Coordinates of all heavy atoms in Angstrom, one line a residue:
M6 N 234.8 25.6 179.7 CA 234.9 25.0 181.1 C 235.9 25.9 181.9 O 236.9 26.3 181.4 CB 235.4 23.6 181.0 CG 235.5 22.9 182.4 SD 234.1 21.8 182.5 CE 234.0 21.5 184.2
C7 N 235.5 26.2 183.1 CA 236.4 27.0 183.9 C 237.1 26.1 184.9 O 236.6 25.2 185.4 CB 235.5 28.0 184.7 SG 236.4 29.1 185.8
T8 N 238.4 26.4 185.1 CA 239.2 25.6 186.0 C 239.0 26.2 187.4 O 238.6 27.3 187.6 CB 240.7 25.7 185.6 OG1 241.1 27.0 185.6 CG2 240.9 25.1 184.2
A9 N 239.4 25.4 188.4 CA 239.3 25.8 189.8 C 240.0 27.1 190.0 O 241.1 27.4 189.5 CB 240.0 24.7 190.7
G10 N 239.4 28.0 190.7 CA 240.0 29.3 190.9 C 239.6 30.4 189.9 O 239.9 31.5 190.1
G11 N 238.9 29.9 188.8 CA 238.5 30.9 187.8 C 237.3 31.6 188.2 O 236.6 31.3 189.2
P12 N 236.9 32.6 187.5 CA 235.7 33.4 187.8 C 234.4 32.5 187.7 O 234.2 31.9 186.7 CB 235.7 34.5 186.8 CG 236.5 34.0 185.7 CD 237.5 33.1 186.2
P13 N 233.6 32.6 188.8 CA 232.4 31.7 188.8 C 231.4 32.1 187.7 O 230.7 31.2 187.1 CB 231.7 32.0 190.1 CG 232.4 33.2 190.7 CD 233.7 33.3 190.0
E14 N 231.3 33.4 187.2 CA 230.4 33.7 186.2 C 230.7 33.1 184.9 O 229.9 32.9 184.0 CB 230.3 35.2 186.0 CG 231.6 35.9 185.6 CD 232.5 36.3 186.8 OE1 232.3 35.9 187.9 OE2 233.5 36.9 186.5
A15 N 232.0 32.6 184.6 CA 232.4 32.0 183.4 C 231.7 30.7 183.2 O 231.5 30.2 182.1 CB 233.9 31.8 183.3
L16 N 231.3 30.0 184.3 CA 230.6 28.7 184.2 C 229.2 28.8 183.6 O 228.7 27.8 183.1 CB 230.5 28.1 185.6 CG 231.8 27.7 186.3 CD1 231.5 27.3 187.7 CD2 232.5 26.6 185.5
S17 N 228.6 30.0 183.6 CA 227.2 30.1 183.1 C 227.1 30.6 181.7 O 226.1 31.0 181.3 CB 226.4 30.9 184.1 OG 226.9 32.3 184.1
R18 N 228.3 30.8 181.0 CA 228.2 31.4 179.7 C 228.6 30.3 178.6 O 229.3 29.4 178.9 CB 229.3 32.5 179.6 CG 228.9 33.6 180.5 CD 229.9 34.7 180.3 NE 229.6 35.8 181.3 CZ 230.4 36.8 181.6 NH1 231.6 36.8 181.1 NH2 230.0 37.7 182.4
A19 N 227.9 30.5 177.4 CA 228.2 29.6 176.3 C 228.1 30.3 175.0 O 227.4 31.3 174.9 CB 227.1 28.4 176.3
L20 N 229.0 29.9 174.1 CA 229.0 30.5 172.7 C 228.8 29.3 171.8 O 229.7 28.4 171.8 CB 230.3 31.2 172.5 CG 230.3 32.1 171.3 CD1 229.2 33.2 171.3 CD2 231.7 32.8 171.2
R21 N 227.7 29.2 171.0 CA 227.4 28.1 170.2 C 227.4 28.5 168.7 O 226.9 29.6 168.4 CB 226.1 27.5 170.6 CG 226.0 27.1 172.1 CD 224.7 26.4 172.4 NE 224.5 26.3 173.8 CZ 225.2 25.6 174.7 NH1 226.3 25.1 174.3 NH2 224.9 25.6 176.0
T22 N 227.9 27.6 167.8 CA 227.8 27.9 166.4 C 226.4 27.5 165.9 O 225.9 26.4 166.3 CB 228.8 27.1 165.6 OG1 228.7 25.8 165.9 CG2 230.2 27.6 166.0
R23 N 225.7 28.3 165.1 CA 224.4 28.0 164.6 C 224.3 28.6 163.2 O 225.0 29.6 162.9 CB 223.3 28.6 165.5 CG 223.2 28.0 166.9 CD 222.7 26.6 166.9 NE 222.5 26.1 168.2 CZ 223.3 25.3 168.8 NH1 224.5 25.0 168.3 NH2 223.1 24.9 170.1
T24 N 223.3 28.2 162.5 CA 222.9 28.9 161.2 C 221.9 29.9 161.6 O 220.9 29.6 162.3 CB 222.3 27.9 160.2 OG1 223.3 26.9 159.9 CG2 221.9 28.6 158.9
V25 N 222.1 31.2 161.2 CA 221.3 32.3 161.5 C 220.8 32.9 160.2 O 221.6 33.5 159.5 CB 222.0 33.3 162.4 CG1 221.1 34.5 162.7 CG2 222.6 32.7 163.7
N26 N 219.5 32.8 160.0 CA 218.9 33.3 158.7 C 219.7 32.9 157.5 O 220.0 33.6 156.6 CB 218.8 34.8 158.7 CG 217.8 35.3 159.8 OD1 216.9 34.7 160.1 ND2 218.1 36.5 160.3
G27 N 220.1 31.6 157.5 CA 220.8 31.0 156.4 C 222.3 31.3 156.3 O 223.0 30.9 155.4
Q28 N 222.8 32.1 157.3 CA 224.2 32.5 157.4 C 224.9 31.8 158.5 O 224.2 31.4 159.5 CB 224.3 34.0 157.6 CG 223.6 34.8 156.6 CD 224.4 34.8 155.2 OE1 225.5 34.4 155.1 NE2 223.7 35.3 154.2
P29 N 226.2 31.6 158.5 CA 226.9 31.1 159.6 C 226.8 32.1 160.8 O 226.7 33.3 160.6 CB 228.4 31.0 159.2 CG 228.4 31.3 157.8 CD 227.1 31.9 157.4
G30 N 226.6 31.6 162.0 CA 226.4 32.5 163.1 C 226.9 31.9 164.4 O 227.3 30.7 164.5
L31 N 226.7 32.7 165.5 CA 227.0 32.4 166.8 C 225.9 32.8 167.7 O 225.2 33.8 167.5 CB 228.3 33.1 167.3 CG 229.6 32.7 166.7 CD1 230.7 33.6 167.1 CD2 229.9 31.2 167.0
V32 N 225.6 32.0 168.7 CA 224.5 32.3 169.7 C 225.2 32.4 171.1 O 225.8 31.4 171.5 CB 223.4 31.3 169.7 CG1 222.4 31.6 170.8 CG2 222.7 31.3 168.4
A33 N 225.2 33.5 171.7 CA 225.8 33.7 173.0 C 224.7 33.6 174.1 O 223.6 34.2 174.0 CB 226.5 35.1 173.1
Q34 N 224.9 32.7 175.1 CA 224.0 32.5 176.1 C 224.6 32.7 177.5 O 225.8 32.4 177.7 CB 223.4 31.1 176.1 CG 222.6 30.8 174.8 CD 222.0 29.4 174.8 OE1 222.5 28.5 175.3 NE2 220.8 29.3 174.1
Q35 N 223.8 33.2 178.4 CA 224.2 33.3 179.8 C 223.1 32.7 180.7 O 221.9 33.1 180.5 CB 224.5 34.7 180.2 CG 225.0 34.9 181.6 CD 225.5 36.3 181.8 OE1 225.8 37.0 180.9 NE2 225.8 36.6 183.1
D36 N 223.4 31.8 181.5 CA 222.4 31.1 182.4 C 221.3 30.5 181.5 O 220.1 30.5 181.9 CB 221.9 32.0 183.4 CG 222.9 32.5 184.4 OD1 223.8 31.7 184.7 OD2 222.9 33.7 184.8
G37 N 221.6 30.0 180.3 CA 220.6 29.4 179.5 C 219.7 30.3 178.7 O 218.8 29.9 178.0
V38 N 220.0 31.6 178.8 CA 219.2 32.6 178.2 C 220.1 33.2 177.1 O 221.2 33.6 177.3 CB 218.7 33.7 179.1 CG1 218.0 34.8 178.4 CG2 217.8 33.1 180.2
T39 N 219.5 33.3 175.8 CA 220.3 33.9 174.7 C 220.4 35.4 175.0 O 219.3 36.1 175.1 CB 219.6 33.6 173.4 OG1 219.6 32.2 173.3 CG2 220.3 34.2 172.2
V40 N 221.6 35.9 174.9 CA 221.8 37.4 175.1 C 222.2 38.1 173.8 O 222.0 39.3 173.7 CB 222.8 37.6 176.3 CG1 222.3 37.2 177.6 CG2 224.1 37.0 176.0
T41 N 222.8 37.4 172.9 CA 223.2 37.9 171.6 C 223.2 36.9 170.5 O 223.6 35.7 170.8 CB 224.6 38.6 171.7 OG1 224.7 39.4 172.8 CG2 224.9 39.3 170.4
V42 N 222.8 37.2 169.3 CA 222.9 36.3 168.2 C 223.7 37.1 167.1 O 223.3 38.2 166.8 CB 221.5 35.9 167.6 CG1 221.6 35.2 166.3 CG2 220.8 35.1 168.7
F43 N 224.7 36.5 166.6 CA 225.5 37.0 165.5 C 225.3 36.3 164.2 O 225.3 35.0 164.3 CB 227.0 36.9 165.9 CG 227.4 37.6 167.2 CD1 227.5 36.9 168.4 CD2 227.7 39.0 167.1 CE1 227.9 37.6 169.5 CE2 228.1 39.6 168.3 CZ 228.2 38.9 169.5
A44 N 225.2 37.0 163.1 CA 225.2 36.3 161.8 C 226.3 36.9 161.0 O 226.6 38.1 161.1 CB 223.9 36.6 161.1
F45 N 227.0 36.1 160.2 CA 228.2 36.5 159.4 C 227.9 36.3 157.9 O 227.5 35.3 157.5 CB 229.4 35.7 159.8 CG 229.7 35.7 161.2 CD1 229.3 34.8 162.1 CD2 230.5 36.8 161.7 CE1 229.6 34.8 163.5 CE2 230.8 36.9 163.1 CZ 230.3 35.9 164.0
D46 N 228.1 37.4 157.2 CA 228.1 37.3 155.7 C 229.5 37.1 155.2 O 230.4 38.0 155.5 CB 227.5 38.7 155.2 CG 227.4 38.7 153.6 OD1 227.4 37.6 153.0 OD2 227.3 39.8 153.1
L47 N 229.7 36.0 154.6 CA 231.1 35.6 154.1 C 231.2 35.8 152.6 O 230.3 35.6 151.8 CB 231.4 34.2 154.4 CG 231.2 33.7 155.9 CD1 231.5 32.2 156.0 CD2 232.1 34.5 156.8
T48 N 232.4 36.3 152.2 CA 232.8 36.4 150.8 C 234.1 35.6 150.8 O 235.1 36.1 151.3 CB 233.0 37.9 150.4 OG1 231.8 38.5 150.5 CG2 233.5 37.9 149.0
G49 N 234.1 34.5 150.1 CA 235.3 33.6 150.1 C 235.5 33.1 151.6 O 234.7 32.6 152.2
D50 N 236.7 33.4 152.0 CA 237.1 33.0 153.4 C 237.2 34.2 154.3 O 237.8 34.2 155.4 CB 238.4 32.2 153.4 CG 239.6 33.1 152.9 OD1 239.4 34.2 152.4 OD2 240.7 32.6 153.1
R51 N 236.5 35.3 153.9 CA 236.5 36.5 154.7 C 235.1 36.9 155.2 O 234.2 36.7 154.4 CB 237.1 37.7 153.9 CG 238.6 37.4 153.6 CD 239.2 38.7 152.9 NE 240.6 38.5 152.6 CZ 241.5 39.0 153.4 NH1 241.3 39.7 154.4 NH2 242.8 38.8 153.0
I52 N 235.1 37.5 156.3 CA 233.8 38.1 156.8 C 233.6 39.5 156.2 O 234.4 40.3 156.3 CB 233.8 38.2 158.3 CG1 233.9 36.8 159.0 CG2 232.5 38.9 158.8 CD1 234.2 36.8 160.5
K53 N 232.4 39.6 155.5 CA 232.1 40.9 154.8 C 231.2 41.7 155.7 O 231.5 42.9 155.8 CB 231.3 40.6 153.5 CG 231.0 41.8 152.7 CD 230.4 41.4 151.4 CE 230.0 42.6 150.6 NZ 229.3 42.2 149.3
H54 N 230.3 41.1 156.4 CA 229.4 41.9 157.4 C 229.1 41.0 158.6 O 229.1 39.8 158.5 CB 228.0 42.2 156.7 CG 228.1 43.1 155.6 ND1 228.0 42.7 154.3 CD2 228.1 44.5 155.5 CE1 228.1 43.7 153.5 NE2 228.1 44.8 154.2
I55 N 228.9 41.7 159.7 CA 228.5 41.0 160.9 C 227.2 41.7 161.4 O 227.2 42.9 161.5 CB 229.6 41.1 162.0 CG1 230.9 40.4 161.6 CG2 229.1 40.4 163.3 CD1 232.0 40.7 162.5
W56 N 226.2 40.9 161.7 CA 225.0 41.4 162.2 C 224.9 40.9 163.6 O 225.1 39.7 163.9 CB 223.7 41.0 161.4 CG 223.7 41.6 160.1 CD1 223.1 42.9 159.8 CD2 224.1 41.1 158.9 NE1 223.3 43.1 158.4 CE2 223.9 42.0 157.8 CE3 224.8 39.9 158.5 CZ2 224.2 41.8 156.5 CZ3 225.1 39.7 157.2 CH2 224.8 40.6 156.2
A57 N 224.5 41.7 164.6 CA 224.3 41.3 166.0 C 222.9 41.8 166.4 O 222.5 42.9 166.2 CB 225.4 41.9 166.9
V58 N 222.2 40.9 167.1 CA 220.9 41.2 167.7 C 220.9 41.0 169.2 O 221.4 39.9 169.7 CB 219.8 40.3 167.1 CG1 218.4 40.5 167.7 CG2 219.7 40.4 165.6
R59 N 220.5 42.0 169.9 CA 220.5 41.9 171.4 C 219.1 42.3 172.0 O 218.9 42.2 173.2 CB 221.5 42.9 172.0 CG 222.9 42.4 171.6 CD 224.0 43.2 172.4 NE 223.7 43.4 173.8 CZ 224.1 42.6 174.8 NH1 224.7 41.5 174.6 NH2 223.8 43.0 176.0
N60 N 218.1 42.6 171.1 CA 216.8 42.9 171.5 C 216.1 41.7 172.2 O 216.0 40.7 171.5 CB 216.0 43.4 170.3 CG 214.5 43.7 170.7 OD1 213.9 43.2 171.6 ND2 214.0 44.7 169.9
P61 N 215.8 41.7 173.5 CA 215.2 40.5 174.1 C 214.0 39.9 173.4 O 213.8 38.7 173.4 CB 214.9 41.0 175.5 CG 215.8 42.2 175.7 CD 215.9 42.8 174.4
D62 N 213.2 40.8 172.9 CA 212.0 40.3 172.2 C 212.3 39.5 170.9 O 211.7 38.5 170.6 CB 211.0 41.5 171.8 CG 210.4 42.1 173.0 OD1 210.2 41.5 174.0 OD2 210.2 43.4 172.9
K63 N 213.3 39.9 170.2 CA 213.8 39.2 169.0 C 214.6 38.0 169.3 O 214.7 37.0 168.5 CB 214.6 40.1 168.1 CG 213.7 41.3 167.5 CD 214.5 42.1 166.6 CE 213.6 43.2 166.0 NZ 214.3 44.0 165.0
L64 N 215.2 37.9 170.5 CA 216.0 36.8 170.9 C 215.2 35.6 171.6 O 215.7 34.5 171.7 CB 217.1 37.2 171.9 CG 218.1 38.2 171.4 CD1 219.0 38.7 172.5 CD2 218.9 37.5 170.2
R65 N 214.0 35.9 172.0 CA 213.2 34.9 172.7 C 213.1 33.6 172.0 O 213.3 32.5 172.6 CB 211.8 35.5 172.9 CG 211.0 34.7 174.0 CD 209.8 35.5 174.6 NE 210.2 36.6 175.4 CZ 209.9 37.9 175.1 NH1 209.2 38.2 174.0 NH2 210.3 38.9 175.8
P66 N 212.9 33.5 170.6 CA 212.9 32.2 170.0 C 214.2 31.4 170.1 O 214.2 30.2 169.9 CB 212.6 32.5 168.5 CG 212.0 33.9 168.5 CD 212.6 34.6 169.7
W67 N 215.3 32.1 170.4 CA 216.6 31.4 170.4 C 216.9 30.9 171.8 O 217.9 30.1 172.0 CB 217.7 32.4 170.1 CG 217.7 32.8 168.6 CD1 217.1 33.8 168.0 CD2 218.3 32.1 167.6 NE1 217.3 33.8 166.7 CE2 218.1 32.8 166.4 CE3 219.1 30.9 167.5 CZ2 218.6 32.3 165.1 CZ3 219.6 30.5 166.3 CH2 219.3 31.2 165.1
T68 N 216.1 31.3 172.8 CA 216.4 30.9 174.2 C 215.9 29.4 174.4 O 214.8 29.1 174.1 CB 215.7 31.8 175.2 OG1 216.3 33.1 175.0 CG2 215.9 31.4 176.6
T69 N 216.8 28.6 175.1 CA 216.4 27.3 175.5 C 216.6 27.2 177.0 O 217.3 27.9 177.6 CB 217.3 26.2 174.8 OG1 218.7 26.5 175.2 CG2 217.2 26.3 173.3
G70 N 215.8 26.2 177.5 CA 215.9 25.9 179.0 C 215.1 26.8 179.8 O 214.6 27.8 179.7

């Protein structure tokens, strides 16, 4: 949430936790459109690999609204 006087573009962005291909992940959205999906490969309590997808064709199933 953006406070008064903050940048207006901040109001249209969201970062949501999701399971991505069986891995913990994040879905970044702007104006209700998914712009990036991140998946994390964990070893114990550490991140071993991070995968990011930005291809609009591959992101289409993640878009809501």
Side-chain angles (χ1 to χ4, degrees):
M6 181 107 198
C7 181
T8 59
E14 62 274 6
L16 293 174
S17 64
R18 295 181 182 162
L20 194 59
R21 306 187 191 297
T22 58
R23 297 288 185 264
T24 300
V25 179
N26 294 330
Q28 303 287 345
L31 295 171
V32 175
Q34 294 183 330
Q35 184 169 346
D36 296 325
V38 176
T39 300
V40 293
T41 309
V42 172
F43 300 95
F45 302 96
D46 180 19
L47 303 178
T48 299
D50 63 349
R51 296 184 177 260
I52 298 172
K53 184 176 177 182
H54 294 100
I55 301 172
W56 291 274
V58 176
R59 294 191 40 92
N60 179 330
D62 293 331
K63 293 182 178 184
L64 295 174
R65 199 165 288 121
W67 290 94
T68 298
T69 59

